[in-house]
Amino acid sequence: MATRVRRTRRRNQVLSREQIIGTAVELLDAGGEGALTVRALTERLATGSGAIYYHVGNRDELLDTATETVVTVALATRPAQPAATPEDEIRVVALALFDAIAEHPWLATRLTLQIVRNPVGPITVGIFERIGRQVSALGVPQARWFDAASTLVHYILGAVGQNTRIEGDTSGVEPDADREEFLGATAQAWQTLDPEDYPFMHAIAGRISEHDDREQFLTGIAVVLDGLIRLR
């Protein structure tokens, strides 16, 4: 028994905040928010709940910290070319957030909640500052900075969230459903619509099963940027 106690204490001493957050992200990636419990975390780390509360806090604080950690990495992404334009900078950070949410599906909901509930938190401030500086560099009048940056942020989160399964979704679509099969079935359904009533839907039905989500996302960014430049 004494040996077991010594091992537990030694494990707690070397346990770091980074290890806890990293393991929390792994649990979230594997099973969504429902998979992240203090019990699951302590079992995975072979530690007690006290170590979790000491290093990070309660479950809500852990979720916020995991979200902040992933978003901070995305926001640190920079263009490969040294002489990047403001448009390049915006595309890079937008794609970094897109890819982060694609890799961590739970992130979409948490990111939106953070921006809505905590406007002075590091996530909201970090995203707006990273994008807002480039809005300024584009030559957008200062009186329009807030609207312009908000439009970009809302587009990024909305577009990415549309491609992500939302926690609590009861649509019946399986989270691991085959993308091509789902889009193919959607295209077929659109093609069965009355072409006189839905000419547009018939015209684009063939594109839905062929489109690339990242390319479509970048097209949206280009459209928004084109509009922002016209605000000069």
Side-chain angles (χ1 to χ4, degrees):
M1 181 64 71
T3 301
R4 183 177 302 174
V5 171
R6 283 197 296 271
R7 286 178 180 173
T8 301
R9 287 176 179 171
R10 188 179 301 116
R11 184 68 181 86
N12 285 343
Q13 288 171 356
V14 300
L15 185 66
S16 68
R17 188 172 187 271
E18 289 71 24
Q19 285 177 297
I20 295 173
I21 297 169
T23 303
V25 170
E26 291 175 2
L27 290 171
L28 287 165
D29 289 346
E33 287 192 27
L36 181 60
T37 64
V38 173
R39 180 176 181 178
L41 198 56
T42 56
E43 289 179 354
R44 179 73 68 90
L45 292 168
T47 188
S49 59
I52 307 299
Y53 294 124
Y54 173 78
H55 284 290
V56 183
N58 59 32
R59 183 177 180 275
D60 287 338
E61 291 171 317
L62 183 58
L63 280 166
D64 288 345
T65 303
T67 303
E68 181 183 341
T69 299
V70 174
V71 172
T72 298
V73 172
L75 293 179
T77 307
R78 292 293 186 271
Q81 63 273 32
T85 65
E87 292 92 337
D88 293 332
E89 293 276 359
I90 289 172
R91 280 191 288 268
V92 164
V93 71
L95 271 180
L97 289 170
F98 181 97
D99 291 340
I101 294 176
E103 183 179 354
H104 310 283
W106 55 271
L107 186 61
T109 302
R110 298 305 307 182
L111 187 51
T112 301
L113 287 174
Q114 277 287 311
I115 290 178
V116 171
R117 295 178 179 176
N118 194 6
V120 297
I123 291 177
T124 305
V125 172
I127 291 176
F128 270 88
E129 183 66 26
R130 180 81 164 83
I131 290 177
R133 290 187 186 186
Q134 305 312 317
V135 167
S136 170
L138 283 172
V140 174
Q142 185 170 355
R144 308 296 295 275
W145 283 0
F146 174 72
D147 291 339
S150 295
T151 298
L152 271 167
V153 172
H154 293 161
Y155 169 74
I156 292 169
L157 296 183
V160 175
Q162 187 175 354
N163 293 319
T164 305
R165 183 175 175 84
I166 304 300
E167 289 284 335
D169 179 16
T170 57
S171 64
V173 179
E174 295 298 325
D176 57 351
D178 184 87
R179 178 180 183 276
E180 292 185 4
E181 290 183 5
F182 176 76
L183 294 180
T186 301
Q188 290 180 359
W190 286 1
Q191 289 170 344
T192 63
L193 297 171
D194 189 329
E196 293 187 2
D197 293 335
Y198 302 97
F200 177 78
M201 300 302 289
H202 269 265
I204 66 171
R207 285 288 301 150
I208 186 174
S209 58
E210 302 172 357
H211 83 280
D212 180 272
D213 291 335
R214 287 176 102 251
E215 289 300 321
Q216 187 181 69
F217 178 69
L218 284 176
T219 297
I221 292 292
V223 170
V224 176
L225 288 176
D226 183 62
L228 295 183
I229 292 172
R230 296 173 186 273
L231 292 175
R232 294 174 180 171

